[in-house]
Amino acid sequence: MDFLKYAEASAALLNADLSQVDGLTAYLEGRDRLRERATDRDCMLLRKFQRELRPVFEAGQADRVSEVVGGLNELMSRHPITPRISDHEHGDLHLHVATDNATVADLVVGESLLGLATLVCDLGPDRLGVCSAAPCTHVFVDTSPNRSRRYCSERCSSRANVAAFRARQKAGVVS
Ligand SMILES: [Zn+2]
Ligand SMILES: [Zn+2]
């Protein structure tokens, strides 16, 4: 698995609107076999997982790194993962989450946790965050070299820059 991709997918999962199964099929774009199998029950289980996972990103944003690690460990014991060594990329061995008998929710939760756990081990537990452009509450994983990310998206970043510029203008710092 490309753990960065899975960690990013995990942030996208938290940001997804899963109030309807349509939201889940939109999230699963490009994964047709999973899309066909997604049910209302998967959607309900993933909404529950969203509520469980958000505090881990909030702890990351607040630099409470032991809570990030503890939270992920707790979630991995609550949602056991079955990893599998795969060679589907021409003998380039890597880990996937096993799909045998897994529901869509199991698989998405497993990929999300394995991706985040690997990110935390490889890049550090301070890589999870919540967007600083209020009122946006979207989460992100920070894969920048100097850990400088503050916003969930370019859109929020430019919105925050415009707001900061206006605030300086109002304060008479710029004319
Ligand atoms: Zn693969
Ligand atoms: Zn945002």
Side-chain angles (χ1 to χ4, degrees):
M1 77 189 275
D2 172 351
F3 77 88
L4 287 180
K5 198 179 88 187
Y6 283 109
E8 268 156 13
S10 173
L13 178 70
L14 260 191
N15 297 337
D17 175 2
L18 300 181
S19 53
Q20 307 281 334
V21 76
D22 295 5
L24 178 55
T25 47
Y27 170 75
L28 294 169
E29 191 186 352
R31 305 182 77 181
D32 291 345
R33 279 162 60 199
L34 289 185
R35 285 178 106 160
E36 285 160 16
R37 285 167 46 206
T39 63
D40 285 330
R41 181 173 163 76
D42 290 311
C43 211
M44 184 268 287
L45 291 169
L46 288 169
R47 283 198 299 273
K48 182 164 176 282
F49 181 65
Q50 285 179 319
R51 292 193 293 275
E52 293 171 337
L53 186 58
R54 175 165 285 276
V56 174
F57 279 84
E58 286 169 354
Q61 176 66 28
D63 275 326
R64 296 192 304 264
V65 291
S66 62
E67 274 181 47
V68 172
V69 172
L72 286 176
N73 279 338
E74 161 69 24
L75 284 174
M76 285 189 287
S77 53
R78 208 179 296 169
H79 302 278
I81 301 164
T82 308
R84 172 125 324 151
I85 301 169
S86 172
D87 67 350
H88 71 96
E89 280 167 2
H90 311 289
D92 182 9
L93 300 180
H94 58 284
L95 287 178
H96 272 255
V97 176
T99 51
D100 338 335
N101 305 317
T103 65
V104 171
D106 287 341
L107 188 68
V108 169
V109 168
E111 288 176 350
S112 169
L113 291 176
L114 200 57
L116 290 174
T118 314
L119 174 96
V120 160
C121 293
D122 282 17
L123 298 183
D126 50 3
R127 295 295 186 141
L128 309 184
V130 182
C131 187
S132 300
C136 179
T137 56
H138 282 180
V139 300
F140 58 82
V141 293
D142 185 353
T143 55
S144 64
N146 50 356
R147 201 176 71 80
S148 56
R149 185 161 175 184
R150 294 180 58 207
Y151 305 106
C152 70
S153 59
E154 274 304 315
R155 203 163 61 87
C156 276
S157 170
S158 49
R159 195 160 57 76
N161 284 333
V162 169
F165 177 78
R166 292 218 178 105
R168 284 197 305 274
Q169 212 173 27
K170 205 171 165 190
V173 181
V174 283
S175 49

